[in-house]
């Protein structure tokens, strides 16, 4: 039986969710603009390239497109260092290009979500440049976290905080004062206790809402407010605290006042505009605080992203995620890859426990098989799902980039994150041949592997066994099947063998074999879709290792 046996009459149906509630079960596709499509042959993706490739996303079947930053920026951290929040960086185009992307997307029934970076600006932002130029005592320094140092001559940082990218979270200026940056030194943290900062971002929200964007993904949503007095950690391990407790510079309760204020602005606009939080919190219960009814709409589920390929572990995270979101009436979200972590086709190709930034390719055949099954599991769960560009092609991480090609700022710092995020940011392939496999008419800002052509959109289109066609089929079935996406719970079948997940939704069931061996199970219905070929006979299914199946049930 084909793993893509989708009834065309089912695939053409539509859901009946109210437009204002579209986000509750939406599938949202992340575009990293620099690596998606290059319209002018300079080796860097741009807004016009995105506009030209929107039909691919419509055909794929997603509901919305999230654009990583395209604002004016020195690119010290891939655009997450913003110099002007109301301008497009020339490397990506102009405001007119941004307007064209929004208009064309809407014409294709796609919504556009843009990144917002409120925790920090670029050190080339006009506020920061003037604050540095004017020296100690400048009122503009109050819009950031400037402090005198410790020690006899102020030679020590104001506290013991470390940057997420490694090294001290403080940099000293020639005039003797220090400024806080939880990320790169080129990303000074804004002081959200200053009213001018709050006023500025309310204005920025309205600027882009008036342009027609459908929502904002909030970068470092958990970091805007710092504990009063900026206290020392006292030797505690930051990474350990991030996993088990609230740090004095992350997940402070004061952030929720900011988001309640923002929600009143968003609710003035029609069309179901939304906020999505990137909030790294110690528990899913803390994450739920960000999506209370008067705050944000969604928050990324990082606990799920980091889950190992293991039935028991996956079920525990699925249950805890649904349980945490249910009391606040928010949908759970599910994500497997993004621009900051190793693609899941490579993570699953390696032994568990290596984290989310992995340096080795592992068993690529195994990784892809698990990635395909994980995709069907994710898309079968209630709530909203996120797809990172290229995962619909089954792309692995590029783990063998030469050192001289790398551009991740964390790679050049001695500690902190591994600095291997470039591997998931290599420009994606569109055609079998060409100087950059259809990415553009020139080269690409990061080198593409020689195997990229056979993974391209062109190579996979029309091949019923390809990962791309599996995604297209899965999204068509999801859109047509009311039991998929909607709701806030699943019905587990406890009799499933160890290593196998089996659950029901209304009119639908999903079975996932996470073991390394085939299993024989009763067939609960008719196969809608499978991540690998399956055989159904005599009322049973032979389910291969690392395979997921969707069933239509009575």
């Amino acid at each position: 039986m084909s793993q893509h046996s989708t009834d065309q009459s089912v695939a053409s149906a539509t859901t009946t969710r109210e437009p204002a509630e579209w986000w509750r079960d939406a599938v949202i596709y992340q575009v990293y603009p620099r690596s998606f499509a290059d319209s002018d042959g300079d080796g860097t993706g741009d807004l016009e390239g995105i506009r030209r490739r929107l039909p691919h996303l419509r055909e794929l079947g997603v509901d919305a497109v999230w654009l990583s930053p395209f604002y004016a920026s020195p690119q010290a951290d891939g655009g997450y260092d913003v110099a002007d929040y109301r301008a497009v960086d020339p490397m990506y185009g102009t405001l007119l290009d941004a307007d064209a992307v929004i208009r064309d997307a809407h014409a294709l029934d796609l919504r556009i979500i843009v990144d917002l970076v409120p925790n920090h600006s670029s050190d080339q932002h006009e506020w920061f440049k003037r604050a540095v130029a004017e020296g100690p005592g400048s009122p503009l320094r109050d819009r950031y976290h400037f402090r005198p140092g410790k020690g006899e001559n102020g030679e020590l940082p104001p506290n013991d905080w470390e940057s997420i990218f490694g090294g001290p979270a403080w940099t000293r200026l020639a005039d003797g004062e220090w400024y806080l940056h939880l990320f790169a030194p080129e990303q000074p943290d804004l002081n959200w206790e200053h009213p001018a900062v709050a006023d500025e971002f309310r204005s920025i929200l309205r600027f882009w809402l008036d342009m027609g964007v459908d929502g904002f993904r909030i970068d470092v949503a958990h970091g805007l407010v710092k504990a009063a007095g900026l206290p020392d950690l006292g030797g505690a391990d930051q990474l350990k605290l991030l996993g088990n407790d609230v740090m004095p510079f992350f997940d402070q309760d004061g952030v929720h006042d900011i988001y309640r204020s923002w929600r009143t602005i968003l609710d003035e606009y029609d069309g179901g505009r939304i906020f999505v939080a990137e909030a790294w919190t110690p528990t899913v219960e803390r994450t739920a605080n960000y999506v209370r009814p008067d705050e944000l709409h969604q928050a990324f589920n990082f606990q799920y992203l980091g889950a190992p390929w293991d039935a028991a572990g996956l079920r525990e995270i699925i249950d805890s995620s649904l349980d945490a979101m249910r009391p606040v009436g928010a949908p759970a979200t599910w994500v497997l890859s993004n621009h900051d972590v190793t693609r899941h086709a490579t993570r699953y190709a390696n032994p568990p426990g290596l984290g989310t930034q992995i340096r080795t390719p592992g068993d690529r055949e195994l990784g892809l098989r698990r990635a395909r099954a994980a995709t069907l599991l994710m898309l079968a769960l209630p709530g909203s799902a996120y797809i990172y560009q290229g995962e619909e092609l089954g792309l692995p991480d590029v783990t063998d980039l030469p050192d001289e090609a790398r551009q991740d700022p964390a790679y050049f710092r001695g500690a902190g994150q591994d600095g291997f995020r470039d591997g998931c940011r290599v420009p994606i392939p569109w055609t079998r041949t060409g100087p950059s496999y259809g990415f553009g008419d020139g080269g690409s800002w990061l080198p593409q592997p020689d195997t990229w052509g056979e993974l391209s959109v062109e190579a996979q289109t029309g091949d019923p066994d390809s990962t791309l066609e599996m995604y297209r089929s899965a999204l068509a079935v999801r859109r047509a099947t009311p039991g998929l996406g909607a709701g806030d719970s699943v019905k587990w079948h406890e009799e499933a063998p160890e290593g196998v997940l089996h659950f029901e939704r209304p009119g639908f069931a999903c079975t996932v074999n996470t073991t390394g061996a085939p299993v024989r199970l009763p067939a609960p219905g008719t196969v809608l879709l499978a991540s690998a070929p399956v055989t159904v006979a005599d009322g049973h299914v032979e389910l291969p290792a690392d395979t997921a199946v969707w069933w239509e049930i009575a």
Side-chain angles (χ1 to χ4, degrees):
M1 178 176 292
S2 169
Q3 60 265 44
H4 305 305
S5 55
T6 305
D7 187 305
Q8 293 303 310
S9 64
V10 173
S12 63
T14 58
T15 59
T16 58
R17 181 174 296 286
E18 292 295 324
E21 296 279 284
W22 67 272
W23 46 274
R24 288 192 170 273
D25 57 3
V27 177
I28 300 172
Y29 185 100
Q30 181 191 357
V31 166
Y32 191 72
R34 196 175 184 184
S35 301
F36 190 67
D38 171 20
S39 71
D40 58 11
D42 66 356
T44 299
D46 47 46
L47 290 172
E48 174 61 17
I50 294 169
R51 188 188 69 81
R52 295 179 186 178
R53 293 295 187 179
L54 287 174
H56 166 72
L57 303 181
R58 177 67 278 166
E59 184 178 0
L60 185 62
V62 300
D63 300 292
V65 182
W66 152 34
L67 302 178
S68 290
F70 51 81
Y71 309 112
S73 167
Q75 303 296 317
D77 183 24
Y80 284 92
D81 50 315
V82 181
D84 187 341
Y85 291 86
R86 297 178 183 83
V88 172
D89 194 283
M91 71 187 294
Y92 297 124
T94 66
L95 277 175
L96 288 176
D97 294 320
D99 180 70
V101 169
I102 295 167
R103 289 176 182 272
D104 281 20
H106 289 169
L108 291 169
D109 198 27
L110 293 168
R111 299 173 188 266
I112 293 291
I113 297 169
V114 298
D115 244 307
L116 187 67
V117 188
N119 179 71
H120 46 263
S121 75
S122 166
D123 63 352
Q124 298 305 300
H125 191 286
E126 190 61 29
W127 282 3
F128 192 80
K129 290 196 298 182
R130 286 178 54 195
V132 171
E134 292 175 9
S138 168
L140 284 170
R141 292 202 174 193
D142 294 337
R143 300 182 185 186
Y144 295 89
H145 295 278
F146 282 87
R147 296 288 189 277
K150 293 181 178 180
E152 184 176 352
N153 299 302
E155 71 277 9
L156 301 176
N159 67 23
D160 62 0
W161 295 1
E162 294 182 2
S163 163
I164 303 303
F165 287 168
W170 297 89
T171 289
R172 194 181 193 189
L173 298 175
D175 58 37
E177 285 199 334
W178 298 74
Y179 69 88
L180 176 68
H181 53 86
L182 291 181
F183 295 89
E186 297 87 353
Q187 296 169 289
D189 278 48
L190 289 157
N191 176 14
W192 273 88
E193 294 182 3
H194 197 290
V197 175
D199 288 345
E200 172 69 354
F201 275 87
R202 283 193 288 265
S203 174
I204 292 167
L205 289 175
R206 291 187 184 279
F207 178 87
W208 288 103
L209 289 167
D210 290 341
M211 282 273 289
V213 303
D214 299 285
F216 301 88
R217 176 264 191 188
I218 305 168
D219 185 63
V220 196
H222 54 298
L224 278 58
V225 173
K226 280 70 174 174
L230 309 183
D232 281 338
L233 281 168
D237 184 283
Q238 290 189 180
L239 293 178
K240 184 177 180 181
L241 278 176
L242 183 58
N244 297 284
D245 206 348
V246 178
M247 291 189 285
F249 47 82
F250 279 161
D251 196 28
Q252 295 292 307
D253 290 338
V255 299
H256 301 291
D257 293 331
I258 297 170
Y259 300 138
R260 281 188 284 270
S261 168
W262 287 9
R263 181 62 180 265
T264 62
I265 294 173
L266 207 68
D267 287 347
E268 295 174 13
Y269 291 78
D270 60 13
R273 319 289 180 100
I274 70 165
F275 287 120
V276 183
E278 182 208 31
W280 289 87
T281 65
T283 65
V284 289
E285 290 76 19
R286 292 288 299 185
T287 301
N289 290 338
Y290 290 78
V291 290
R292 289 175 286 200
D294 60 344
E295 294 189 41
L296 310 179
H297 298 78
Q298 294 183 351
F300 288 146
N301 189 342
F302 291 113
Q303 286 81 6
Y304 187 76
L305 183 149
W309 185 241
D310 168 77
L314 285 165
R315 176 171 173 174
E316 180 180 358
I317 292 172
I318 291 167
D319 283 341
S320 63
S321 300
L322 293 171
D323 290 345
M325 297 298 134
R326 198 175 297 118
V328 294
T333 64
W334 315 103
V335 61
L336 294 168
S337 291
N338 65 34
H339 65 290
D340 278 335
V341 301
T342 299
R343 290 180 178 276
H344 60 285
T346 295
R347 293 203 314 275
Y348 291 149
N350 283 272
L354 298 182
T356 57
Q357 290 192 8
I358 295 172
R359 308 181 186 188
T360 60
D363 183 338
R364 287 184 173 171
E365 181 180 348
L366 174 65
L368 180 59
R369 188 165 68 245
R370 289 176 171 177
R372 288 166 60 101
T375 295
L376 292 193
L377 170 60
M378 175 182 76
L379 292 175
L381 295 171
S384 181
Y386 282 77
I387 296 173
Y388 177 52
Q389 66 178 44
E391 74 173 71
E392 77 273 23
L393 305 176
L395 295 186
D397 245 52
V398 181
T399 57
D400 58 354
L401 288 170
D403 291 352
E404 60 271 18
R406 295 190 178 277
Q407 300 195 33
D408 184 351
Y411 180 75
F412 301 99
R413 297 172 69 84
Q417 293 186 352
D418 290 338
F420 282 78
R421 296 179 298 176
D422 291 318
C424 65
R425 300 178 179 182
V426 173
I428 66 175
W430 294 91
T431 60
R432 281 192 172 94
T433 60
S436 59
Y437 303 106
F439 169 67
D441 293 334
S444 62
W445 68 281
L446 285 172
Q448 299 162 299
D450 294 339
T451 56
W452 234 221
E454 291 309 306
L455 297 175
S456 66
V457 174
E458 179 184 44
Q460 295 195 41
T461 294
D463 177 358
D465 296 324
S466 71
T467 300
L468 175 59
E469 294 297 350
M470 186 196 78
Y471 269 76
R472 288 172 172 166
S473 295
L475 292 176
V477 173
R478 180 183 167 101
R479 185 180 290 269
T481 306
L484 279 169
D488 60 9
S489 62
V490 300
K491 178 184 177 182
W492 296 104
H493 280 227
E494 303 297 345
E495 70 275 13
E498 184 177 356
V500 175
L501 295 171
H502 183 68
F503 61 88
E504 289 186 19
R505 313 290 315 288
F508 172 90
C510 179
T511 310
V512 186
N513 179 9
T514 68
T515 73
V519 296
R520 178 177 167 84
L521 300 164
T526 302
V527 174
L528 284 170
L529 190 63
S531 64
V534 298
T535 301
V536 178
D538 300 324
H540 286 74
V541 58
E542 293 289 339
L543 192 60
D546 302 306
T547 298
V549 182
W550 286 2
W551 307 90
E552 183 179 20
I553 60 175

